[in-house]
Amino acid sequence: MSFKQIVIWLSVTLIDAILAWSIVVLTSNGSYGLAVIVALLLIFIDYALINPKGYPFLYMIPALIFMMILTVYPIYYTFQIAFENYMTGYMWSRQEVIDTLLNTIIIKPNPQYFDYSVYTLYKGYVPTEKFVLLLKGEDGRLYVAQMPKKSGQRYISRFEMLTDGSVTIDGVKYSIVRSVKDPSKVISISSQEGVYSYFYNPSDRDTFPNLKFFNMHYSSILSNTEFINPQAGTLFFTNKYGFAKLVTAKYEYTLSNMPVLENGKNVERTVLINTITGLPVIEKDYAFWDVDPHTGKRTKIMGYYGYSGLKNFKDLLTNKQIMSPFLSVFIWTFEWAALSVFFTFSVGLFLAIVLNNRKMRFRTIYRTLLIIPWAIPAFISIIMFRVGFFNVSFGIINKIFLEQWLHLGPIDWFGNAFWAKVALLMVNTWLGFPYMMVISLGALQSIPNELYEAASIDGASKWYAFRKITFPLLMIPLAPLLVASFAFNFNNFNVIYLLTAGGPPIPNSITPAGQTDILLSYTYNLAFGGASGRNYGLAAAISILIFVIIATISAVNFKLSGSFEEVNK
């Protein structure tokens, strides 16, 4: 076997190992769809690298990998989210919610607080991972807490009260050593394991240099430790006091086996119990609910995401508070895309016909000037229009044209839906006509002059020649571009977001819908920008709908216009 073959086989083995490991990790995390995609990628790569018939596909591997990451995976993830209730309040898995509830700590009524000091076992001059705590109750009694021991996902530490300066915990005797100069200070705790030296106390500034080591090595353990003493109670470091004090507290929820009524039968199930009320937690509608023992009122604790079937699509089509604003946005999206294409193409074509006149002087200068709007970054132009032209108080249109020249009242460009749409179309026409002008100029110059000469001899007017010669011949190359422009404006997020941000809002809508929102900006607000929360599931469902609409419109338009027919032949 040659050196080259050895390198190839080692590369194949390495790639297979990485992808196989990825499949195992994805499967264990429940990402079965993505695991299937990676498995298909693994099969394709092996086919291209090992089978001689697959060698032509060898150069497609990098492109295929990027396609999987940048295209296939987002599509897969969008479809997955569209069939789940993934939104604000439901963004954790069921198991994560249960774990969180089981770790929720609540301070008991009439709590007792304990100060603490950390004593560390040194190795030479270096502190080790081993430590014990000296606790001091509100009554001045001292306790020693042993080194926390791992128990499942948490740590357990027993603590006992000192008697005559010593105490025995689990067969290990601990004795405190006080300072000779200041007997109130405990400088160390001796045991069979060694001498634990005074290391850190949150109230002692002299120990603050050890805070970094405390945070790095002890805090993660202590924050998950349950300090147990049958007489004093159970102590925790809680969020309320951080690492300043230990306080008597308890877990708010626990697991217990109890009979549950299912399908008319009593069956034994493990359920969450609220330790305060003693009542089981109700699980319904992808959420856990507490029940008030006196009124029976349910209070939502936490929700979790899960498969919800066609609920997002059903809400979209049947819930009036969602459907009504969606229809409004849907209709405006079509109007916006169609009017944008119409105005940009009309202005661009008109200017192209004017500039196509060979007798016109300074045509090059005019062309250059008219392309400037295309050369300036769109977001700069949009902001200039928003601030300089359409500002209600000092914009050029209201201040100069309407107030000084026409003596009319100001227009509320962004508070009135009609004028907001007019402003959007004006700005988009400004941004889009140079493109239409350039492609129209190119197409006009490809029309033979002989056709116009023949029409002129036959006595055809210029308008007749335009209708019968120019426009039909222009549509052959421009129709696909107009369809593409329609699809582009259908998703033209930048102009909408930067100029009106979708506003003004649609009244009585429970979703963040504005009267100038298009489907894409509406979807964005649902997923990321809604003040009432994020609804990724509904946003994903609308994204699929947008894809279907765009694909259908493009297919129908291409079919009707006969575009790409030559390519197909």
Side-chain angles (χ1 to χ4, degrees), residues 331-352:
I331 293 170
W332 163 241
T333 303
F334 273 93
E335 293 174 346
W336 156 256
L339 291 173
S340 293
V341 174
F342 174 76
F343 285 125
T344 54
F345 180 64
S346 299
V347 175
L349 179 60
F350 172 76
L351 293 173

Side-chain angles (χ1 to χ4, degrees), residues 116-123 125-133 146-148 155 195-202 207 209-227 237 243 246:
Y116 73 95
S117 300
V118 180
Y119 290 78
T120 300
L121 195 64
Y122 279 82
K123 186 175 183 180
Y125 295 100
V126 179
T128 66
E129 304 285 337
K130 293 184 177 180
F131 66 94
V132 294
L133 270 64
Q146 63 180 178
M147 172 79 187
Y155 290 88
V195 178
Y196 293 90
S197 300
Y198 181 53
F199 184 73
Y200 175 71
N201 183 301
T207 64
N210 297 328
L211 179 60
K212 183 178 180 181
F213 188 92
F214 173 83
N215 287 332
M216 290 180 62
H217 298 276
Y218 301 156
S219 62
S220 61
I221 297 175
L222 292 175
S223 63
N224 288 299
T225 300
E226 187 177 345
F227 296 90
F237 285 102
F243 286 108
L246 280 159

Side-chain angles (χ1 to χ4, degrees), residues 16-32 34-36 38-39:
D16 284 359
I18 293 173
L19 293 179
W21 173 77
S22 302
I23 293 170
V24 172
V25 171
L26 291 170
T27 305
S28 62
N29 289 333
S31 301
Y32 302 112
L34 196 57
V36 171
V38 176

Side-chain angles (χ1 to χ4, degrees), residues 45-77:
I45 291 175
D46 281 354
Y47 175 74
L49 291 175
I50 299 173
N51 193 324
K53 294 181 179 177
Y55 288 166
F57 301 107
L58 199 61
Y59 302 100
M60 293 175 61
I61 291 177
L64 193 66
I65 291 173
F66 281 111
M67 188 186 77
M68 289 287 184
I69 296 173
L70 301 177
T71 304
V72 176
Y73 177 68
I75 292 174
Y76 158 75
Y77 194 66

Side-chain angles (χ1 to χ4, degrees), residues 62 95 171 200 261 267 440:
Q95 189 57 47
Y200 175 71
L261 189 63
V267 292
S440 297

